[in-house]
Every structure is written in structure tokens, then in C-alpha cells.
Amino acid sequence: LSLSGRGVSSGGWTSLVAPFDLVATSPRLDDSAATGASPSVIASGDLRYVGFTSTAPQLVAAGSDPATAGSGSVGIGIAVDGEWSSLGTNTIPVIDTDIDGDGTPDLETIIWKYSADMDFTTVETYEIVESGGGLALGALLDLSPVNGLWADLDTSVFDSNVVVAPITLDAVGITQGDTPTFQVYTVSTYASDPSGVLDAVPPFTVDPFAPTTWFDGGVADALWYLDADGVELTVHRAEGAGDGSLLLLHTHNGAASRAEVVEVSATRAATTTTELSVAGATTETGTQTLTASVAPAEATGSVRFLDGSTELGTAPVEGGTATLEASLGVGEHSLSAEYLPASAAFLASTSAAVTWSVTARATSTTRAWAPAVISSRATPWVTVMVRSTSRPTGTVTVSEGGTVLADTRIVPLGTTGVAVVRLPRLSAGVHHLTVQYEGSTTVAPSSTSVDLQVVAFGRH
């Protein structure tokens, strides 16, 4: 949010701005409201705009520890139709707060003079208690100077029509998880209503710790910022909040422009859907292809593939598709795909779980035979038979001392496979051979050993 215009910074006067999320508006009161009273007094209590802000997200973003730095404050910004000569006398703004959502206010915040003999305006928050069958003010929980600025600073409470009421979260007992409802109204001895209420806006409910909008001007726990040309404030808007309006209260603008409404255009994040399909082996050591389809196809980002809560891997989304090759272990698997958007233009989504079962391979037994004695001039061989409960396919390897001598494919005959492995000529002596069936996608490997004696040519 970029500010433009001419600021004031001279002789102890400094122009300030307080930004808010605009949460309530009220039409101008009709002429009958001023019957029997001064029109200027009625105008000074005629609510037009109410805004909300919270410094709690600022403190979190700055890395502050709530245990030591506190949770921050909320600020209620109020703009009325006409100027008050002295805030907190003839016109008194009031804020009722229902913390627990039971429809009865728990707190009452009043903007008035600190005492009859002291021209000092305060924001005081009291506990509301039951008394004599009704409600009454209880203990004082929080006291702040009006606008959150002490009297030695320019607080602009005279001849103004905008004011900020700070409420310290920790002091009044608003904690993480609370979503209080606020009701803002003005009271005056000149009000025609017997209750003394001059004007009110509809109640609004907010989360001080996760508001729709919050502001950052480089200073944590701040409600006010320098109001000068070129000043920039960062506006943080909650994901999915869409369009909205901001309320800016300028302390030293003219009466007609102290309250400025700024429209916010925010592209609402598009909803996405993710579907997962799985293809491939259903027995151990095989591979599976996990394919996630993300809609709309324009969505960018990545997909995180999960087996229960265990991540199998991630893959980029290209043209609405992300693919991962996996090798699942024996057992039942609950597979899912989680789409992670690359920007705020799209919302994340997760597929329904796909159950995929992987069974163990059938066991196998390998037996081998070789000639008892063979001449060094002859070509040796090993006959191999592999038995299993499933049809064995694949390769048989013959090795000696870790060195592969030869291999060949077995010929399956039902659940039995046979092979004749021809070896290279071997030197004279006894050779201890290892015969290894390498297994297949459905049959586990197995091995055996056999001895082969080679005699030199011409010896008996």
C-alpha cells in the first residue's frame, strides 16, 4: 500500500495514519436524530466507518516470543460524520466484546475522559459482571491513552472525527483460538433513545491471531505509521479472502478526508482436485507407477506422494500430471497424492487414498548335478532344476569363488524349471561351484552348490 500526498512534521505536529480492515459501515443519521439537540453533537456520534486490526501477526512475523513480548493488541478504528470538540464528554464511543460467543458481552471498552477534572482521554476496558439481575462494569482490565499515544504526543483528539481504541489482548484475556464478536456504538446524553445510544454498527466477529488483513510497516506491535508521501505499508491478506476494503484514518487530513476507504482487489485462489492412479507390480521387487492428475490443468507446483504418512517422493506438475516410480515392500499400502501449489493462485488438495497390496514372491528350491569326473579337454556342464509353487522363469548363474563362469535361461515346465549350463573349460582339480537361480517377479531366488572334478587329459 503506497501513500501519496503532503505530510506534516513540524512544531510537534506529525501526520500519522492507522490502517484497518473495514469491517462495518453505517449510513448517515437522518435529521430527526438531532431533534432537540445540537446537530454538531449528533454528528460527532454518527458512526460512518469501523475498522479492525491486530498486531499479533506482526509479533509472530518478527519472531517475538508471546511469553516475554506479549500477544499484542487489537485496534478498533472509528470514524464519525462530524467533528467532536472534545472526545469523551458529550459523545462517548463504546465497544462491547463477546469473547466466548454466548451472546453476552464479557468486556466493555469506553473512550472517555480519565476524570472530570483532567482533560486526558483514555481507552478503558472493564470486565462485565452480573449485578442485580443485570450487567454492570466490573474490574478495570486495561487502560491505554486514546489512539494508543500518550498526551505528550500529538493525539489529535480535539476537533477530529477519527479515533483508534487499542485493547491489549493479554490484559483482557483474549487468547489463541478465541474469535470474539465486537459491537461498536456511541452514547450521548443528547441521544433521543432512552438507552443513551446514539448510533451503532452491526456486530462483527474476527480472529485477532489470524485476521483477514494485517499490516506491516517494519515495526512490530504498531497501530500507527508515518503518514507521508512515498511511505509503503505491506498488506497481508488471508488466503482465499478475495476482494475487500481497507479503512485508513489520517490524523491531519481535513474533516472530509480523515477517513479513507481503499478497495482491495485480490484474486481468489482457485480450488483444485487431485486424483491418484496406481499401476504396476503386485509382488515384491516390482515397481509401481503413481500418477497424480491435478485439475485445473493450469495449476503449477508439485505433488507429494505418500504411503500413509511416509513420503515416497515428489514430482513436478506438468500439464496437470505428476508421476513417480516407486518400489513398494510386501504388505498393504494406503497411497495418496498431495498437490502443493507453486503460488497463491491455487489451493492445495489431496487425493482419496488408493489401497495397493504387494505380496511376497513364491519360494523356490534349486538343485544341481554335474559329472563326477570330466577331462580337461571336455566342455563341462551343470544340470539345474528349480522347483516352486509358481511358474519359475529367469536366469541361472554358475560361479566359482565369486566369479561368474556362465549363465542361461531356465525352461519352465509348470512349477518346475530346468536348464543346462555349459561352462568354459576348467583347469584340473576339484571345482566348488555355486548355482544361483536369480528369481523373477513372482518367484524368489534360491541357490545350491555342486562339486566338479576335472582331470588332466591322458591321465587315468
Side-chain angles (χ1 to χ4, degrees):
L1 177 65
S2 298
L3 305 180
S4 62
R6 184 168 59 90
V8 175
S9 182
S10 177
W13 300 87
T14 302
S15 55
L16 300 174
V17 61
F20 302 88
D21 189 23
L22 180 63
V23 291
T25 61
S26 177
R28 183 178 286 109
L29 293 173
D30 57 36
D31 294 340
S32 63
T35 302
S38 167
S40 63
V41 172
I42 299 302
S44 68
D46 185 356
L47 293 168
R48 300 306 310 281
Y49 306 105
V50 173
F52 176 86
T53 191
S54 173
T55 67
Q58 297 175 5
L59 292 169
V60 172
S64 299
D65 181 2
T68 55
S71 299
S73 302
V74 299
I76 308 295
I78 300 172
V80 295
D81 191 58
E83 296 181 337
W84 48 71
S85 57
S86 179
L87 178 63
T89 52
N90 294 329
T91 302
I92 299 176
V94 180
I95 305 160
D96 286 346
T97 306
D98 178 7
I99 299 176
D100 54 18
D102 64 356
T104 300
D106 303 294
L107 310 170
E108 185 160 285
T109 302
I110 308 171
I111 303 176
W112 57 5
K113 296 300 181 184
Y114 182 69
S115 65
D117 57 351
M118 182 179 295
D119 192 12
F120 175 46
T121 309
T122 56
V123 180
E124 300 175 17
T125 299
Y126 294 85
E127 179 185 13
I128 294 182
V129 297
E130 294 185 358
S131 176
L135 299 177
L137 296 183
L140 175 65
L141 302 178
D142 189 32
L143 186 149
S144 300
V146 69
N147 293 326
L149 304 171
W150 292 102
D152 56 345
L153 299 175
D154 172 22
T155 58
S156 302
V157 294
F158 300 102
D159 300 320
S160 183
N161 66 325
V162 298
V163 66
V164 176
I167 302 173
T168 307
L169 292 169
D170 293 337
V172 301
I174 297 176
T175 60
Q176 187 91 32
D178 290 333
T179 53
T181 297
F182 296 90
Q183 170 76 69
V184 179
Y185 56 96
T186 55
V187 297
S188 173
T189 56
Y190 295 96
S192 58
D193 191 295
S195 68
V197 174
L198 185 60
D199 197 10
V201 298
F204 55 92
T205 301
V206 291
D207 183 346
F209 296 90
T212 300
T213 306
W214 62 279
F215 305 89
D216 183 6
V219 179
D221 206 17
L223 296 174
W224 291 92
Y225 303 92
L226 181 65
D227 197 6
D229 189 57
V231 171
E232 292 190 348
L233 303 177
T234 301
V235 181
H236 299 267
R237 195 140 174 93
E239 184 177 282
D243 297 343
S245 300
L246 306 181
L247 174 64
L248 305 183
L249 301 184
H250 303 272
T251 57
H252 288 302
N253 280 14
S257 59
R258 288 194 191 103
E260 179 185 10
V261 176
V262 177
E263 300 302 324
V264 175
S265 296
T267 302
R268 189 177 294 275
T271 300
T272 64
T273 59
T274 301
E275 296 182 355
L276 175 65
S277 61
V278 184
T282 57
T283 53
E284 63 176 320
T285 75
T287 60
Q288 297 81 29
T289 301
L290 283 64
T291 303
S293 300
V294 180
E298 296 77 21
T300 58
S302 61
V303 168
R304 182 171 174 246
F305 294 91
L306 300 170
D307 181 1
S309 60
T310 301
E311 181 177 314
L312 298 176
T314 60
V317 177
E318 298 177 349
T321 302
T323 302
L324 180 74
E325 295 292 328
S327 182
L328 302 174
V330 173
E332 189 169 278
H333 302 267
S334 180
L335 307 175
S336 61
E338 179 183 9
Y339 165 62
L340 306 174
S343 71
F346 298 95
L347 296 176
S349 58
T350 302
S351 72
V354 174
T355 300
W356 192 265
S357 296
V358 177
T359 58
R361 291 179 292 177
T363 59
S364 67
T365 302
T366 299
R367 297 184 64 186
W369 299 267
V373 178
I374 192 170
S375 168
S376 60
R377 298 282 300 269
T379 299
W381 72 91
V382 175
T383 301
V384 182
M385 181 175 63
V386 178
R387 286 182 173 174
S388 177
T389 57
S390 183
R391 186 172 183 265
T393 59
T395 303
V396 170
T397 300
V398 177
S399 60
E400 182 179 23
T403 299
V404 175
L405 301 178
D407 61 63
T408 191
R409 298 188 65 82
I410 65 172
V411 177
L413 302 171
T415 58
T416 300
V418 296
V420 175
V421 185
R422 297 191 178 277
L423 308 178
R425 290 181 178 177
L426 301 174
S427 61
V430 177
H431 296 267
H432 302 286
L433 305 178
T434 298
V435 180
Q436 172 78 35
Y437 166 57
E438 303 295 343
S440 67
T441 58
T442 58
V443 180
S446 58
S447 64
T448 188
S449 61
V450 65
D451 288 344
L452 174 63
Q453 183 176 3
V454 179
V455 296
F457 177 73
R459 294 184 59 188
H460 298 282

